[in-house]
Amino acid sequence: RLDYETLGRWLRLQVHDSLVFEFPRDQEEALAAQGVAEMIKAVPELPMPPSWGLGPTLGIAVEAKAGGWWGAMTEVTL
């Protein structure tokens, strides 16, 4: 299991709401899945009002894309 600190080792760029990682090709799919799992975790410091019906804390949906360069990235099916 890849922890948050280790995942940060592969982080190369943060642009607005995007995180760009550079993973080894032979581990790309597994690492991307673990990165997505880390990123979609509920944020306990951001509670949601029960009346909204969205759960007890904020959670953010993300997409994962992979490719040799930014313009050629395609969505990763996890």
Side-chain angles (χ1 to χ4, degrees):
R1 172 88 175 112
L2 191 64
D3 63 30
Y4 183 78
E5 186 174 320
T6 305
L7 186 62
R9 177 175 63 172
W10 303 106
L11 182 64
R12 298 295 182 254
L13 181 66
Q14 178 181 354
V15 179
H16 302 290
D17 61 350
S18 296
L19 300 176
V20 178
F21 295 91
E22 185 176 29
F23 296 131
R25 288 244 184 234
D26 63 334
Q27 300 175 49
E28 185 176 272
E29 190 171 318
L31 293 172
Q34 292 178 37
V36 167
E38 186 66 38
M39 292 166 57
I40 63 173
K41 282 184 179 176
V43 183
E45 295 83 5
L46 298 172
M48 300 295 286
S51 62
W52 291 6
L54 298 173
T57 62
L58 179 65
I60 300 172
V62 299
E63 297 175 348
K65 295 183 180 183
W69 60 90
W70 203 321
M73 290 188 177
T74 57
E75 192 161 348
V76 174
T77 305
L78 303 172

